[in-house]
Amino acid sequence: MNDIVKSGFDYFFLIYGIALFSCYFGFVILAIRAIKANAKRVTFLNINDIKGADDLPTVSLIAPAYNEAKSIVINVNSLLAIQYPFYELIVVNDGSKDNTLEQLIKEFELVITPITKDSDEILHTEVVAVYKSKNVKYSHLTVVDKKNGGRADAINCGISYATTALVLCTDADCIIEQDALLKMVRPYLESVDKEVIACGGAIGIANDSIIKNGILKELKLPKSIIARIQVVEYIRAFLLGRMAWGQIDGLMLVSGAFGLYPRQRVLEVGGFDVTTVGEDLELCIRLRAHMERLKQPYAVVYIPETLCWTEAPSNYKVYITQRDRWARGLWETLKKHRYLLYNTKYGMMGTIFFPYWCFFEFGAPIVELLGVIYIIICGLLGIINWPICFALFIVVYLIGCLFSTLSILLYTINFKHYVKPSMLVKLLLAAYLEPFVTHPAMLYAEIKGYYKKIFGIQSSWGTMTRKGFTTMK
């Protein structure tokens, strides 16, 4: 290999690595600032103040369900237990092949009811029937049974039947904290000079935790090391990613499992995109671009507290399927909105935020794969300095461990979820094992997703097999 070529590759990987780690160090600083700012906001406008207000916005919870028979009753009970005076719950059965609908009908005493849509502005597959409960206890529950069209299509259907100012999009397999809505509407009450177009909350992993009547009673760490490592991933992503970007108005993603939007704005942009598997990222970017074109001040807000709990993949097969889908969704979204790249008409979104997603969120797996191939080739040619190579590996590994350690410590100190010393030790151990246990699988899944998009290989959401939550009566 030519010395100039080798030097070029060496400098490329070095500069890319330094740039990426510099961003992460910046995220740590921004996350600490965001935690302090959030603590002040909570003191200024606490939950009791919000609960007693008589001008709260009305909210519709949209929960699509597909083959969720194992946990549908528990999760709907969780959604019905939410503390909020003005909300309706719309569960959309997206053509489930199991007995999801039958369980809902039996448990909540549902009967077919003639209800018309509030809006025809967004399309979705055919609705088979709409159900309401005979029991007044469940008067704010609506179940829409429709033909299968995918998650985005199901949410669009729910939005069409909603009648409220805000819509909260979640999943039927999620457990939501009872005061979640009270905390989620806070930015809409506080914001004066900017319109809040999306608000997201932290997502937690509840594998092997104890659920009673749809409420998380005892949080436990997952028994599976794969799921436990994902707890670390989620903490790091939501704390150093979402909180940091939110601090500089650069948040481009609100998690599809728990996102609150103004219904009218969602209707204006045509609802969720059914042609991508990354519909949550795509909608957030489309809403931001819409507001930029309208030249109206806006904000995408992140609530750092864990308000929603879900079940994470506990084996490699399901984990790879999920990350493959996320990679394809990222590819599809960035391709669709490529007009934003360095487009000054869209402000910092076009000049800083979107380029970051292109070069680091999208580019990192590609650069990492190239790095592995480069090391193999250099090793075969006998032109690699192994001591330096191993030293650099150790440095990169330790820096990664540092970011994970900081994330875990910041989270446990400020949000009080994993307070037992044994839990903290297990989380730190999972963080230090992550590069060897799940990261290679994640890299494989991401490259697999990109490969499918490059060669036009059709692929759906994939089957997300779930064990269901541990329940107690």
Side-chain angles (χ1 to χ4, degrees):
M1 184 182 292
N2 186 290
D3 287 344
I4 296 177
V5 174
K6 185 177 183 301
S7 296
F9 276 109
D10 289 342
Y11 279 112
F12 168 74
F13 290 123
L14 178 63
I15 293 171
Y16 188 90
I18 291 174
L20 185 59
F21 283 135
S22 297
C23 289
Y24 286 161
F25 277 115
F27 292 159
V28 171
I29 295 171
L30 289 171
I32 293 172
R33 289 176 54 188
I35 289 172
K36 293 179 179 178
N38 181 70
K40 291 180 180 179
R41 283 196 295 269
V42 171
T43 302
F44 176 73
L45 186 60
N46 62 43
I47 292 299
N48 291 327
D49 294 331
I50 298 173
K51 192 184 298 185
D54 56 5
D55 58 347
L56 293 176
T58 53
V59 181
S60 292
L61 273 71
I62 314 295
Y66 178 71
N67 292 348
E68 303 288 354
K70 286 185 178 180
S71 60
I72 189 65
V73 171
I74 296 170
N75 296 320
V76 170
N77 275 319
S78 169
L79 297 174
L80 290 171
I82 289 175
Q83 298 173 0
Y84 196 79
F86 314 113
Y87 86 97
E88 62 179 357
L89 170 60
I90 303 175
V91 178
V92 183
N93 180 48
D94 190 36
S96 295
K97 296 178 181 178
D98 62 6
N99 64 336
T100 296
L101 180 61
E102 288 72 17
Q103 287 203 40
L104 288 170
I105 292 173
K106 180 180 178 181
E107 178 69 21
F108 300 105
E109 304 173 49
L110 302 177
V111 293
I112 294 178
T113 306
I115 298 178
T116 57
K117 293 191 297 183
D118 189 68
S119 172
D120 289 313
E121 295 181 51
I122 47 180
L123 302 176
H124 53 77
T125 57
E126 181 184 349
V127 171
V128 178
V130 180
Y131 296 83
K132 295 288 288 184
S133 177
K134 295 183 293 182
N135 191 332
V136 67
K137 178 182 177 181
Y138 307 120
S139 60
H140 57 308
L141 169 65
T142 301
V143 174
V144 181
D145 182 33
K146 62 182 283 293
K147 292 184 177 180
N148 181 260
R151 182 180 184 277
D153 187 84
I155 294 175
N156 285 342
C157 178
I159 293 172
S160 296
Y161 279 91
T163 58
T164 56
L166 302 175
V167 289
L168 187 141
C169 303
T170 185
D171 289 320
D173 60 354
C174 289
I175 300 294
I176 295 180
E177 293 285 334
Q178 289 182 286
D179 61 356
L181 273 185
L182 293 169
K183 293 176 179 178
M184 287 286 280
V185 299
R186 187 168 61 210
Y188 292 90
L189 300 175
E190 293 174 331
S191 185
V192 177
D193 55 344
K194 292 182 179 180
E195 179 182 348
V196 178
I197 60 168
C199 178
I203 311 295
I205 292 175
N207 295 43
D208 302 309
S209 296
I210 304 298
I211 311 296
K212 182 178 181 181
N213 297 326
I215 299 171
L216 180 69
K217 289 296 184 181
E218 183 181 354
L219 178 63
K220 294 184 176 182
L221 285 175
K223 296 175 183 177
S224 162
I225 186 61
I226 295 173
R228 191 178 299 173
I229 288 173
Q230 288 172 83
V231 175
V232 178
E233 282 188 68
Y234 277 46
I235 289 174
R236 190 174 58 235
F238 284 104
L239 205 64
L240 298 190
R242 311 288 168 80
M243 285 195 74
W245 281 118
Q247 189 68 10
I248 55 173
D249 290 329
L251 195 57
M252 299 275 279
L253 171 64
V254 167
S255 175
F258 198 64
L260 185 64
Y261 309 91
R263 181 171 177 270
Q264 184 55 42
R265 290 299 186 192
V266 175
L267 291 174
E268 286 176 14
V269 299
F272 283 82
D273 186 350
V274 299
T275 64
T276 177
V277 292
E279 68 278 352
D280 47 358
L281 172 63
E282 195 285 325
L283 177 65
C284 193
I285 291 178
R286 186 151 37 97
L287 281 169
R288 290 189 63 125
H290 178 61
M291 298 301 287
E292 292 285 351
R293 285 190 287 268
L294 292 176
K295 299 188 182 304
Q296 293 190 18
Y298 66 92
V300 178
V301 181
Y302 173 71
I303 305 295
E305 299 167 70
T306 302
L307 304 176
C308 176
W309 301 90
T310 189
E311 182 181 353
S314 57
N315 60 64
Y316 281 114
K317 182 180 179 181
V318 181
Y319 179 78
I320 289 172
T321 298
Q322 182 192 66
R323 301 311 164 101
D324 172 346
R325 185 182 75 246
W326 288 2
R328 286 184 283 119
L330 178 60
W331 175 297
E332 292 163 353
T333 299
L334 296 185
K335 181 181 178 181
K336 178 177 180 179
H337 295 283
R338 60 188 180 275
Y339 62 89
L340 290 170
L341 188 62
Y342 293 119
N343 189 334
T344 56
K345 293 180 181 178
Y346 292 89
M348 293 181 68
M349 179 186 179
T351 56
I352 297 177
F353 309 147
F354 191 81
Y356 172 87
W357 275 80
C358 292
F359 296 126
F360 294 116
E361 295 290 347
F362 175 79
I366 298 172
V367 173
E368 186 174 353
L369 177 64
L370 291 176
V372 172
I373 295 172
Y374 176 66
I375 290 174
I376 293 172
I377 292 174
C378 288
L380 293 174
L381 294 176
I383 57 174
I384 191 168
N385 187 320
W386 287 110
I388 292 179
C389 181
F390 283 122
L392 285 173
F393 172 80
I394 294 298
V395 169
V396 171
Y397 171 73
L398 291 176
I399 292 175
C401 290
L402 174 63
F403 287 130
S404 294
T405 301
L406 286 172
S407 300
I408 292 168
L409 292 177
L410 282 172
Y411 186 86
T412 54
I413 291 171
N414 289 280
F415 301 111
K416 313 296 183 185
H417 277 127
Y418 302 102
V419 293
K420 295 179 181 178
S422 61
M423 299 177 86
L424 179 59
V425 170
K426 289 178 180 178
L427 279 177
L428 291 172
L429 181 60
Y432 304 151
L433 289 175
E434 180 186 356
F436 309 103
V437 178
T438 60
H439 187 76
M442 183 172 69
L443 177 61
Y444 165 74
E446 290 171 333
I447 297 302
K448 181 182 178 183
Y450 292 170
Y451 177 86
K452 289 178 179 177
K453 298 309 299 182
I454 290 171
F455 292 99
I457 300 173
Q458 296 299 316
S459 186
S460 62
W461 257 63
T463 303
M464 298 297 291
T465 306
R466 301 184 187 277
K467 294 165 58 180
F469 294 114
T470 303
T471 61
M472 59 183 293
K473 296 181 179 180

